[in-house]
Short mmCIF file of all heavy atoms in Angstrom, two decimals:
data_model
loop_
_atom_site.label_atom_id
_atom_site.label_comp_id
_atom_site.label_asym_id
_atom_site.label_seq_id
_atom_site.Cartn_x
_atom_site.Cartn_y
_atom_site.Cartn_z
N MET A 1280 73.03 -35.90 -11.40
CA MET A 1280 73.22 -34.46 -11.60
C MET A 1280 71.93 -33.70 -11.35
O MET A 1280 70.85 -34.19 -11.60
CB MET A 1280 73.68 -34.19 -13.04
CG MET A 1280 75.13 -34.59 -13.30
SD MET A 1280 76.30 -33.72 -12.24
CE MET A 1280 76.21 -32.05 -12.95
N ASN A 1281 72.07 -32.49 -10.88
CA ASN A 1281 70.90 -31.66 -10.65
C ASN A 1281 70.82 -30.58 -11.73
O ASN A 1281 71.62 -29.67 -11.76
CB ASN A 1281 71.00 -30.97 -9.28
CG ASN A 1281 70.97 -31.97 -8.15
OD1 ASN A 1281 70.16 -32.87 -8.16
ND2 ASN A 1281 71.84 -31.80 -7.19
N ASP A 1282 69.88 -30.72 -12.62
CA ASP A 1282 69.72 -29.69 -13.66
C ASP A 1282 68.36 -29.04 -13.57
O ASP A 1282 68.01 -28.18 -14.34
CB ASP A 1282 69.93 -30.30 -15.04
CG ASP A 1282 68.90 -31.35 -15.36
OD1 ASP A 1282 68.29 -31.88 -14.42
OD2 ASP A 1282 68.67 -31.65 -16.54
N ASP A 1283 67.58 -29.42 -12.57
CA ASP A 1283 66.23 -28.90 -12.41
C ASP A 1283 66.24 -27.54 -11.73
O ASP A 1283 66.56 -27.41 -10.57
CB ASP A 1283 65.36 -29.86 -11.62
CG ASP A 1283 66.10 -30.52 -10.49
OD1 ASP A 1283 67.33 -30.34 -10.41
OD2 ASP A 1283 65.47 -31.18 -9.67
N LYS A 1284 65.88 -26.51 -12.51
CA LYS A 1284 65.93 -25.14 -12.00
C LYS A 1284 64.76 -24.79 -11.11
O LYS A 1284 64.81 -23.82 -10.38
CB LYS A 1284 66.00 -24.16 -13.17
CG LYS A 1284 67.32 -24.26 -13.91
CD LYS A 1284 67.74 -22.92 -14.47
CE LYS A 1284 69.23 -22.97 -14.79
NZ LYS A 1284 69.77 -21.87 -15.50
N GLN A 1285 63.68 -25.58 -11.17
CA GLN A 1285 62.51 -25.25 -10.36
C GLN A 1285 62.64 -25.77 -8.94
O GLN A 1285 61.86 -25.45 -8.07
CB GLN A 1285 61.23 -25.82 -10.97
CG GLN A 1285 60.98 -25.45 -12.40
CD GLN A 1285 61.59 -26.46 -13.35
OE1 GLN A 1285 62.62 -27.06 -13.06
NE2 GLN A 1285 60.95 -26.66 -14.47
N LYS A 1286 63.62 -26.59 -8.71
CA LYS A 1286 63.82 -27.15 -7.38
C LYS A 1286 64.09 -26.03 -6.39
O LYS A 1286 64.79 -25.07 -6.71
CB LYS A 1286 65.03 -28.08 -7.45
CG LYS A 1286 65.14 -29.02 -6.28
CD LYS A 1286 66.38 -29.85 -6.48
CE LYS A 1286 66.14 -31.28 -6.14
NZ LYS A 1286 67.38 -32.04 -6.39
N THR A 1287 63.54 -26.15 -5.21
CA THR A 1287 63.75 -25.09 -4.23
C THR A 1287 65.15 -25.18 -3.63
O THR A 1287 65.75 -26.23 -3.56
CB THR A 1287 62.72 -25.16 -3.09
OG1 THR A 1287 62.91 -26.38 -2.38
CG2 THR A 1287 61.31 -25.06 -3.61
N LEU A 1288 65.62 -24.04 -3.18
CA LEU A 1288 66.93 -24.01 -2.53
C LEU A 1288 66.91 -24.88 -1.29
O LEU A 1288 67.91 -25.51 -0.94
CB LEU A 1288 67.28 -22.57 -2.13
CG LEU A 1288 67.87 -21.72 -3.24
CD1 LEU A 1288 68.06 -20.31 -2.76
CD2 LEU A 1288 69.21 -22.29 -3.69
N CYS A 1289 65.75 -24.92 -0.65
CA CYS A 1289 65.61 -25.77 0.54
C CYS A 1289 65.96 -27.21 0.20
O CYS A 1289 66.69 -27.88 0.93
CB CYS A 1289 64.18 -25.68 1.06
SG CYS A 1289 63.50 -24.01 0.95
N ALA A 1290 65.49 -27.68 -0.96
CA ALA A 1290 65.79 -29.04 -1.39
C ALA A 1290 67.25 -29.17 -1.80
O ALA A 1290 67.91 -30.16 -1.50
CB ALA A 1290 64.89 -29.42 -2.56
N HIS A 1291 67.76 -28.15 -2.47
CA HIS A 1291 69.16 -28.19 -2.90
C HIS A 1291 70.10 -28.28 -1.70
O HIS A 1291 71.08 -29.01 -1.70
CB HIS A 1291 69.50 -26.92 -3.69
CG HIS A 1291 69.07 -26.98 -5.12
ND1 HIS A 1291 69.42 -28.02 -5.95
CD2 HIS A 1291 68.32 -26.13 -5.86
CE1 HIS A 1291 68.91 -27.78 -7.16
NE2 HIS A 1291 68.23 -26.66 -7.13
N VAL A 1292 69.80 -27.49 -0.68
CA VAL A 1292 70.67 -27.46 0.50
C VAL A 1292 70.60 -28.79 1.25
O VAL A 1292 71.60 -29.26 1.79
CB VAL A 1292 70.29 -26.28 1.42
CG1 VAL A 1292 71.00 -26.37 2.77
CG2 VAL A 1292 70.67 -24.97 0.74
N GLU A 1293 69.41 -29.40 1.23
CA GLU A 1293 69.29 -30.71 1.85
C GLU A 1293 70.20 -31.72 1.18
O GLU A 1293 70.76 -32.61 1.81
CB GLU A 1293 67.83 -31.20 1.74
CG GLU A 1293 67.07 -31.06 3.03
CD GLU A 1293 65.60 -31.38 2.84
OE1 GLU A 1293 65.29 -32.37 2.15
OE2 GLU A 1293 64.77 -30.64 3.38
N GLU A 1294 70.38 -31.55 -0.13
CA GLU A 1294 71.26 -32.44 -0.88
C GLU A 1294 72.70 -31.92 -0.90
O GLU A 1294 73.55 -32.41 -1.63
CB GLU A 1294 70.74 -32.59 -2.31
CG GLU A 1294 69.42 -33.34 -2.37
CD GLU A 1294 68.87 -33.42 -3.80
OE1 GLU A 1294 69.52 -32.94 -4.73
OE2 GLU A 1294 67.77 -33.96 -3.94
N GLU A 1295 72.93 -30.85 -0.16
CA GLU A 1295 74.26 -30.24 -0.03
C GLU A 1295 74.85 -29.78 -1.36
O GLU A 1295 76.05 -29.96 -1.61
CB GLU A 1295 75.21 -31.22 0.68
CG GLU A 1295 74.70 -31.59 2.06
CD GLU A 1295 75.78 -32.25 2.91
OE1 GLU A 1295 76.37 -33.22 2.40
OE2 GLU A 1295 76.03 -31.78 4.02
N LEU A 1296 74.01 -29.15 -2.18
CA LEU A 1296 74.51 -28.58 -3.43
C LEU A 1296 75.60 -27.54 -3.15
O LEU A 1296 76.57 -27.44 -3.89
CB LEU A 1296 73.35 -27.92 -4.21
CG LEU A 1296 73.76 -27.26 -5.53
CD1 LEU A 1296 74.22 -28.30 -6.56
CD2 LEU A 1296 72.62 -26.43 -6.11
N GLN A 1297 75.43 -26.79 -2.06
CA GLN A 1297 76.41 -25.75 -1.73
C GLN A 1297 77.77 -26.32 -1.40
O GLN A 1297 78.79 -25.64 -1.47
CB GLN A 1297 75.89 -24.86 -0.58
CG GLN A 1297 76.01 -25.44 0.82
CD GLN A 1297 74.89 -26.43 1.14
OE1 GLN A 1297 74.25 -26.96 0.26
NE2 GLN A 1297 74.67 -26.67 2.42
N VAL A 1298 77.82 -27.61 -1.05
CA VAL A 1298 79.08 -28.29 -0.75
C VAL A 1298 79.59 -29.01 -2.00
O VAL A 1298 80.76 -28.92 -2.36
CB VAL A 1298 78.89 -29.33 0.38
CG1 VAL A 1298 80.17 -30.12 0.61
CG2 VAL A 1298 78.45 -28.64 1.67
N ASN A 1299 78.67 -29.69 -2.70
CA ASN A 1299 79.05 -30.50 -3.86
C ASN A 1299 79.31 -29.68 -5.12
O ASN A 1299 80.14 -30.06 -5.93
CB ASN A 1299 77.95 -31.53 -4.14
CG ASN A 1299 77.75 -32.46 -2.97
OD1 ASN A 1299 78.71 -32.85 -2.31
ND2 ASN A 1299 76.52 -32.82 -2.69
N ASP A 1300 78.58 -28.56 -5.27
CA ASP A 1300 78.74 -27.74 -6.46
C ASP A 1300 78.51 -26.27 -6.12
O ASP A 1300 77.47 -25.70 -6.45
CB ASP A 1300 77.75 -28.21 -7.53
CG ASP A 1300 78.10 -27.65 -8.90
OD1 ASP A 1300 78.94 -26.73 -8.97
OD2 ASP A 1300 77.52 -28.14 -9.89
N PRO A 1301 79.47 -25.67 -5.42
CA PRO A 1301 79.32 -24.27 -4.97
C PRO A 1301 79.02 -23.31 -6.10
O PRO A 1301 78.24 -22.38 -5.93
CB PRO A 1301 80.69 -23.95 -4.34
CG PRO A 1301 81.27 -25.27 -3.98
CD PRO A 1301 80.76 -26.24 -5.01
N GLN A 1302 79.61 -23.54 -7.27
CA GLN A 1302 79.37 -22.65 -8.41
C GLN A 1302 77.90 -22.65 -8.81
O GLN A 1302 77.31 -21.60 -9.05
CB GLN A 1302 80.22 -23.10 -9.61
CG GLN A 1302 81.72 -22.99 -9.38
CD GLN A 1302 82.22 -21.54 -9.39
OE1 GLN A 1302 81.51 -20.65 -9.83
NE2 GLN A 1302 83.42 -21.35 -8.89
N ALA A 1303 77.31 -23.84 -8.89
CA ALA A 1303 75.91 -23.96 -9.26
C ALA A 1303 75.03 -23.33 -8.19
O ALA A 1303 74.03 -22.67 -8.49
CB ALA A 1303 75.54 -25.43 -9.44
N TYR A 1304 75.41 -23.49 -6.94
CA TYR A 1304 74.64 -22.92 -5.84
C TYR A 1304 74.67 -21.40 -5.90
O TYR A 1304 73.63 -20.74 -5.78
CB TYR A 1304 75.20 -23.42 -4.50
CG TYR A 1304 74.41 -22.91 -3.32
CD1 TYR A 1304 73.16 -23.43 -3.03
CD2 TYR A 1304 74.92 -21.89 -2.51
CE1 TYR A 1304 72.42 -22.96 -1.96
CE2 TYR A 1304 74.19 -21.41 -1.44
CZ TYR A 1304 72.94 -21.94 -1.17
OH TYR A 1304 72.21 -21.46 -0.12
N MET A 1305 75.84 -20.85 -6.14
CA MET A 1305 75.98 -19.39 -6.21
C MET A 1305 75.18 -18.82 -7.36
O MET A 1305 74.61 -17.73 -7.27
CB MET A 1305 77.45 -19.00 -6.32
CG MET A 1305 78.19 -19.19 -5.02
SD MET A 1305 79.84 -18.45 -5.05
CE MET A 1305 80.75 -19.76 -5.85
N ALA A 1306 75.11 -19.57 -8.47
CA ALA A 1306 74.34 -19.11 -9.63
C ALA A 1306 72.86 -19.00 -9.27
O ALA A 1306 72.15 -18.15 -9.80
CB ALA A 1306 74.52 -20.08 -10.79
N LEU A 1307 72.41 -19.84 -8.34
CA LEU A 1307 71.00 -19.82 -7.94
C LEU A 1307 70.68 -18.65 -7.01
O LEU A 1307 69.57 -18.14 -6.99
CB LEU A 1307 70.64 -21.12 -7.21
CG LEU A 1307 70.53 -22.37 -8.08
CD1 LEU A 1307 70.39 -23.59 -7.18
CD2 LEU A 1307 69.36 -22.27 -9.02
N ILE A 1308 71.65 -18.23 -6.22
CA ILE A 1308 71.37 -17.21 -5.21
C ILE A 1308 71.79 -15.80 -5.59
O ILE A 1308 71.46 -14.85 -4.90
CB ILE A 1308 71.99 -17.58 -3.84
CG1 ILE A 1308 73.51 -17.63 -3.96
CG2 ILE A 1308 71.43 -18.91 -3.34
CD1 ILE A 1308 74.19 -17.88 -2.61
N GLN A 1309 72.53 -15.66 -6.72
CA GLN A 1309 72.98 -14.33 -7.12
C GLN A 1309 72.39 -13.92 -8.46
O GLN A 1309 72.42 -14.72 -9.40
CB GLN A 1309 74.51 -14.31 -7.23
CG GLN A 1309 75.17 -14.35 -5.89
CD GLN A 1309 76.69 -14.26 -6.04
OE1 GLN A 1309 77.23 -14.31 -7.13
NE2 GLN A 1309 77.38 -14.15 -4.95
N PRO A 1310 71.91 -12.68 -8.63
CA PRO A 1310 71.72 -11.72 -7.57
C PRO A 1310 70.38 -11.98 -6.89
O PRO A 1310 69.37 -12.14 -7.56
CB PRO A 1310 71.70 -10.38 -8.33
CG PRO A 1310 71.16 -10.73 -9.68
CD PRO A 1310 71.55 -12.17 -9.94
N ALA A 1311 70.38 -12.01 -5.61
CA ALA A 1311 69.17 -12.35 -4.86
C ALA A 1311 68.11 -11.26 -5.01
O ALA A 1311 68.38 -10.08 -4.82
CB ALA A 1311 69.52 -12.55 -3.40
N THR A 1312 66.91 -11.66 -5.38
CA THR A 1312 65.80 -10.72 -5.51
C THR A 1312 64.65 -11.12 -4.59
O THR A 1312 63.73 -10.35 -4.37
CB THR A 1312 65.27 -10.70 -6.96
OG1 THR A 1312 64.89 -12.04 -7.31
CG2 THR A 1312 66.33 -10.20 -7.92
N HIS A 1313 64.71 -12.33 -4.07
CA HIS A 1313 63.66 -12.84 -3.20
C HIS A 1313 64.27 -13.57 -2.02
O HIS A 1313 65.42 -14.02 -2.09
CB HIS A 1313 62.76 -13.82 -3.96
CG HIS A 1313 61.96 -13.18 -5.05
ND1 HIS A 1313 62.51 -12.79 -6.24
CD2 HIS A 1313 60.65 -12.87 -5.11
CE1 HIS A 1313 61.57 -12.25 -7.01
NE2 HIS A 1313 60.43 -12.28 -6.34
N TYR A 1314 63.50 -13.67 -0.97
CA TYR A 1314 63.94 -14.50 0.15
C TYR A 1314 62.77 -15.40 0.54
O TYR A 1314 61.63 -15.17 0.12
CB TYR A 1314 64.42 -13.65 1.34
CG TYR A 1314 63.33 -13.05 2.17
CD1 TYR A 1314 62.92 -13.67 3.35
CD2 TYR A 1314 62.71 -11.88 1.78
CE1 TYR A 1314 61.91 -13.12 4.12
CE2 TYR A 1314 61.70 -11.33 2.55
CZ TYR A 1314 61.31 -11.96 3.72
OH TYR A 1314 60.31 -11.42 4.48
N CYS A 1315 63.08 -16.43 1.28
CA CYS A 1315 62.06 -17.39 1.66
C CYS A 1315 61.54 -17.11 3.06
O CYS A 1315 62.32 -17.04 4.01
CB CYS A 1315 62.66 -18.80 1.60
SG CYS A 1315 61.48 -20.05 2.06
N LYS A 1316 60.23 -16.96 3.16
CA LYS A 1316 59.62 -16.71 4.47
C LYS A 1316 59.65 -17.96 5.31
O LYS A 1316 59.49 -17.91 6.53
CB LYS A 1316 58.16 -16.26 4.29
CG LYS A 1316 58.03 -14.80 4.00
CD LYS A 1316 56.58 -14.44 3.75
CE LYS A 1316 55.92 -13.87 4.99
NZ LYS A 1316 54.54 -13.43 4.70
N GLY A 1317 59.83 -19.10 4.65
CA GLY A 1317 59.84 -20.37 5.37
C GLY A 1317 61.18 -20.65 6.02
O GLY A 1317 61.25 -20.98 7.20
N CYS A 1318 62.27 -20.52 5.25
CA CYS A 1318 63.57 -20.91 5.77
C CYS A 1318 64.59 -19.78 5.80
O CYS A 1318 65.70 -19.97 6.28
CB CYS A 1318 64.11 -22.09 4.97
SG CYS A 1318 64.26 -21.72 3.22
N GLY A 1319 64.23 -18.61 5.27
CA GLY A 1319 65.12 -17.46 5.36
C GLY A 1319 66.19 -17.39 4.30
O GLY A 1319 67.01 -16.48 4.33
N ARG A 1320 66.19 -18.28 3.35
CA ARG A 1320 67.20 -18.25 2.31
C ARG A 1320 66.84 -17.19 1.28
O ARG A 1320 65.69 -16.82 1.13
CB ARG A 1320 67.31 -19.61 1.62
CG ARG A 1320 67.83 -20.64 2.56
CD ARG A 1320 68.26 -21.90 1.83
NE ARG A 1320 68.87 -22.77 2.82
CZ ARG A 1320 68.21 -23.72 3.49
NH1 ARG A 1320 66.96 -23.96 3.23
NH2 ARG A 1320 68.82 -24.41 4.41
N SER A 1321 67.84 -16.73 0.53
CA SER A 1321 67.57 -15.79 -0.54
C SER A 1321 67.98 -16.42 -1.86
O SER A 1321 68.86 -17.28 -1.91
CB SER A 1321 68.33 -14.48 -0.31
OG SER A 1321 69.70 -14.72 -0.12
N ALA A 1322 67.31 -15.98 -2.95
CA ALA A 1322 67.57 -16.57 -4.25
C ALA A 1322 67.30 -15.57 -5.36
O ALA A 1322 66.63 -14.56 -5.17
CB ALA A 1322 66.69 -17.80 -4.45
N ALA A 1323 67.87 -15.87 -6.54
CA ALA A 1323 67.68 -15.01 -7.70
C ALA A 1323 66.30 -15.23 -8.32
O ALA A 1323 65.76 -14.34 -8.96
CB ALA A 1323 68.76 -15.29 -8.73
N ASN A 1324 65.73 -16.41 -8.13
CA ASN A 1324 64.42 -16.73 -8.71
C ASN A 1324 63.43 -17.16 -7.63
O ASN A 1324 63.74 -18.05 -6.83
CB ASN A 1324 64.55 -17.85 -9.73
CG ASN A 1324 65.37 -17.41 -10.94
OD1 ASN A 1324 64.99 -16.48 -11.65
ND2 ASN A 1324 66.51 -18.05 -11.14
N ALA A 1325 62.27 -16.53 -7.68
CA ALA A 1325 61.24 -16.84 -6.68
C ALA A 1325 60.87 -18.31 -6.70
O ALA A 1325 60.55 -18.89 -5.67
CB ALA A 1325 60.00 -15.98 -6.93
N GLU A 1326 60.92 -18.91 -7.89
CA GLU A 1326 60.51 -20.32 -7.99
C GLU A 1326 61.45 -21.28 -7.29
O GLU A 1326 61.14 -22.45 -7.13
CB GLU A 1326 60.29 -20.73 -9.45
CG GLU A 1326 61.40 -20.35 -10.38
CD GLU A 1326 61.17 -18.98 -11.05
OE1 GLU A 1326 60.67 -18.05 -10.40
OE2 GLU A 1326 61.51 -18.87 -12.22
N ASN A 1327 62.61 -20.79 -6.86
CA ASN A 1327 63.55 -21.65 -6.14
C ASN A 1327 63.32 -21.60 -4.63
O ASN A 1327 64.08 -22.20 -3.87
CB ASN A 1327 64.99 -21.25 -6.45
CG ASN A 1327 65.39 -21.56 -7.88
OD1 ASN A 1327 65.90 -20.71 -8.59
ND2 ASN A 1327 65.15 -22.78 -8.33
N LEU A 1328 62.29 -20.85 -4.21
CA LEU A 1328 62.01 -20.74 -2.78
C LEU A 1328 60.64 -21.33 -2.47
O LEU A 1328 59.72 -21.25 -3.29
CB LEU A 1328 62.03 -19.27 -2.36
CG LEU A 1328 63.39 -18.58 -2.56
CD1 LEU A 1328 63.23 -17.08 -2.39
CD2 LEU A 1328 64.42 -19.12 -1.60
N CYS A 1329 60.49 -21.92 -1.28
CA CYS A 1329 59.21 -22.54 -0.95
C CYS A 1329 58.16 -21.49 -0.59
O CYS A 1329 56.99 -21.66 -0.89
CB CYS A 1329 59.38 -23.58 0.14
SG CYS A 1329 60.38 -23.10 1.54
N LYS A 1330 58.60 -20.40 0.08
CA LYS A 1330 57.67 -19.32 0.40
C LYS A 1330 58.29 -17.99 0.00
O LYS A 1330 58.74 -17.21 0.84
CB LYS A 1330 57.36 -19.31 1.91
CG LYS A 1330 56.57 -20.52 2.35
CD LYS A 1330 56.24 -20.44 3.82
CE LYS A 1330 55.47 -21.68 4.25
NZ LYS A 1330 55.22 -21.69 5.70
N PRO A 1331 58.36 -17.74 -1.33
CA PRO A 1331 59.06 -16.56 -1.83
C PRO A 1331 58.43 -15.24 -1.39
O PRO A 1331 57.21 -15.10 -1.33
CB PRO A 1331 58.98 -16.72 -3.35
CG PRO A 1331 57.87 -17.65 -3.61
CD PRO A 1331 57.76 -18.53 -2.42
N GLN A 1332 59.30 -14.31 -1.06
CA GLN A 1332 58.90 -12.95 -0.68
C GLN A 1332 59.89 -12.03 -1.34
O GLN A 1332 61.10 -12.26 -1.25
CB GLN A 1332 58.96 -12.83 0.85
CG GLN A 1332 58.43 -11.54 1.40
CD GLN A 1332 56.91 -11.46 1.37
OE1 GLN A 1332 56.23 -12.49 1.33
NE2 GLN A 1332 56.37 -10.26 1.37
N LYS A 1333 59.40 -10.98 -2.03
CA LYS A 1333 60.30 -10.08 -2.72
C LYS A 1333 61.17 -9.31 -1.73
O LYS A 1333 60.69 -8.89 -0.68
CB LYS A 1333 59.49 -9.09 -3.55
CG LYS A 1333 60.15 -8.73 -4.87
CD LYS A 1333 59.14 -8.01 -5.78
CE LYS A 1333 59.66 -7.93 -7.21
NZ LYS A 1333 60.79 -7.01 -7.36
N LEU A 1334 62.42 -9.10 -2.09
CA LEU A 1334 63.32 -8.34 -1.22
C LEU A 1334 63.09 -6.85 -1.44
O LEU A 1334 62.81 -6.45 -2.55
CB LEU A 1334 64.79 -8.67 -1.56
CG LEU A 1334 65.34 -9.96 -1.00
CD1 LEU A 1334 66.75 -10.18 -1.56
CD2 LEU A 1334 65.41 -9.91 0.52
ZN1 LIG B 1487 62.40 -22.15 1.87
#
């Protein structure tokens, strides 16, 4: 199980969290306040992005 909130979305997506647990994935990205300059993903918490940039 993935309960680590500090893990980046980049890592979560590599493990296909968005496929295995869409609800948990949506909780991480809504409401998006930051996006990642590295991979372009957006997230509710800056700590879930490898290169966070405020939206
Ligand atoms: Zn990233």
Side-chain angles (χ1 to χ4, degrees):
M1280 286 300 289
N1281 295 316
D1282 62 339
D1283 39 353
K1284 292 212 162 172
Q1285 306 91 327
K1286 196 181 223 179
T1287 64
L1288 278 175
C1289 321
H1291 279 307
V1292 170
E1293 257 173 43
E1294 293 177 3
E1295 301 195 308
L1296 179 67
Q1297 79 280 20
V1298 175
N1299 299 322
D1300 195 347
Q1302 296 287 345
Y1304 182 73
M1305 287 191 277
L1307 287 171
I1308 63 175
Q1309 288 182 353
T1312 56
H1313 293 75
Y1314 78 98
C1315 180
K1316 277 176 98 175
C1318 58
R1320 294 193 174 94
S1321 54
N1324 294 298
E1326 48 268 39
N1327 291 129
L1328 298 168
C1329 45
K1330 292 182 181 176
Q1332 187 75 23
K1333 216 167 193 289
L1334 281 174

